[in-house]
Amino acid sequence: MTERNSRIRVAIVDDHTLFRVGLREIIENQKDMEVVGEAGDAYNALTLVAQVKPDVLLLDVSIPGGDVTDNIHEIGEVSPTTRIVILSMQDAPELILELVGLGIRGYLHKSASWDELIAAIRMATPGTDRVLLAVSRQSLLGMPAGAANKPSSGPLSPRELEVLELVAKAMSNAQIAAEIMLTEATVKRHLHNIFVKLGAVSRIDAVNKATAASLISNGG
C-alpha cells in the first residue's frame, strides 16, 4: 500500500490513441509510476486533471480544442500542483522558451527516447526546479541567453489577435471568455501580454495601435 501511494501519478493527453497506448505501456513498466488517466482533447484534459490531479501531466502541444498556452494556464488553475511535460513534433526555440516561461517542467520532441521520457517524468516531481529539454541541438542554439526570463515582446499570437478583435467590438472580458471558450483569467492574461507587446496603456490604446498597424480591422 505504501509503495503504491509513493508512485508518480501520470496522466496522458494526446489526440493519437496509439501514441497514448505506447506511452501507457512504457510508464506502467516503471515500478515507481502509474497512469491515472488519459484524454484526447483540451476539454477532456481539463476535466481529467480537475478530477484526478495527477503529479505529472504529459501534454501534447497541439491537441484539439485549445491553444497550448491557454491549456497550461487552465490546467494550473484546476490543479496547481500538477507538473506539465510537453510532448511535441515542433522543435521551435521561441515556443520552447515561451512554455518554459509558463512553468513547464519538460519539453520532449516526439522523437525522444523512452529513457528521456522517464527521466523527464521523474525530474518533474517536487524537489527540483530543473527542466528537461529533449530537442535538437539546432533548436537549443536558436535560444538567446536568458530569454526564458524575459517577458515576450514579439508579434501577437493568433489567440491574442482573436482576443483583440473582440475587444475592438467592445466586448467585456466575460463576453470574450464565453465567445472563445476560455476562462476570464486567461483572457486577462492575454490582454496583459497584448499591452506589453504593443506598449499600450489601455484597451482602447491597444485597439488603436493594432488598427494603425493593420493587425486587426477597425472594431467600428
Side-chain angles (χ1 to χ4, degrees):
M1 187 73 171
T2 302
E3 179 183 353
R4 182 173 182 83
N5 288 342
S6 66
R7 290 179 182 173
I8 302 169
R9 302 170 65 255
V10 182
I12 304 168
V13 176
D14 192 284
D15 58 332
H16 294 93
T17 302
L18 289 177
F19 188 72
R20 293 202 308 269
V21 169
L23 289 177
R24 174 183 281 274
E25 183 175 348
I26 292 169
I27 293 166
E28 292 191 335
N29 279 334
Q30 311 304 309
K31 292 182 179 180
D32 60 339
M33 299 180 188
E34 63 177 323
V35 175
V36 294
E38 300 177 17
D41 58 55
Y43 175 79
N44 287 310
L46 196 61
T47 301
L48 170 67
V49 171
Q51 290 175 343
V52 305
K53 292 182 167 46
D55 300 316
V56 177
L57 177 68
L58 301 179
L59 176 65
D60 178 32
V61 77
S62 56
I63 56 171
D67 178 84
V68 64
T69 58
D70 296 336
N71 295 336
I72 289 171
H73 277 277
E74 290 171 1
I75 287 165
E77 289 172 6
V78 300
S79 182
T81 60
T82 295
R83 309 294 183 94
I84 298 174
V85 174
I86 294 291
L87 306 174
S88 177
M89 289 301 296
Q90 302 179 46
D91 208 8
E94 290 183 0
L95 175 62
I96 296 170
L97 286 172
E98 180 178 11
L99 299 186
V100 169
L102 293 179
I104 66 165
R105 303 309 300 273
Y107 188 105
L108 279 68
H109 193 275
K110 286 188 176 180
S111 63
S113 63
W114 70 267
D115 54 326
E116 289 172 318
L117 170 69
I118 295 304
I121 293 172
R122 291 191 176 121
M123 191 179 294
T125 53
T128 175
D129 287 329
R130 292 190 296 170
V131 177
L132 190 148
L133 303 179
V135 296
S136 69
R137 178 181 295 274
Q138 181 179 4
S139 181
L140 291 174
L141 291 174
M143 295 183 183
N149 297 320
K150 298 177 181 177
S152 173
S153 59
L156 298 185
S157 69
R159 180 65 89 182
E160 288 164 353
L161 288 171
E162 185 177 18
V163 168
L164 197 51
E165 288 276 7
L166 297 177
V167 170
K169 295 178 181 178
M171 294 178 68
S172 68
N173 289 349
Q175 290 171 325
I176 293 171
E179 177 73 16
I180 55 180
M181 300 179 65
L182 298 177
T183 66
E184 193 168 346
T186 300
V187 171
K188 290 178 181 178
R189 177 181 57 81
H190 282 310
L191 283 172
H192 171 76
N193 291 341
I194 289 166
F195 289 178
V196 170
K197 290 180 178 181
L198 295 180
V201 296
S202 68
R203 294 162 71 96
I204 294 174
D205 188 30
V207 169
N208 289 341
K209 287 183 175 181
T211 302
S214 299
L215 297 176
I216 63 171
S217 58
N218 192 309

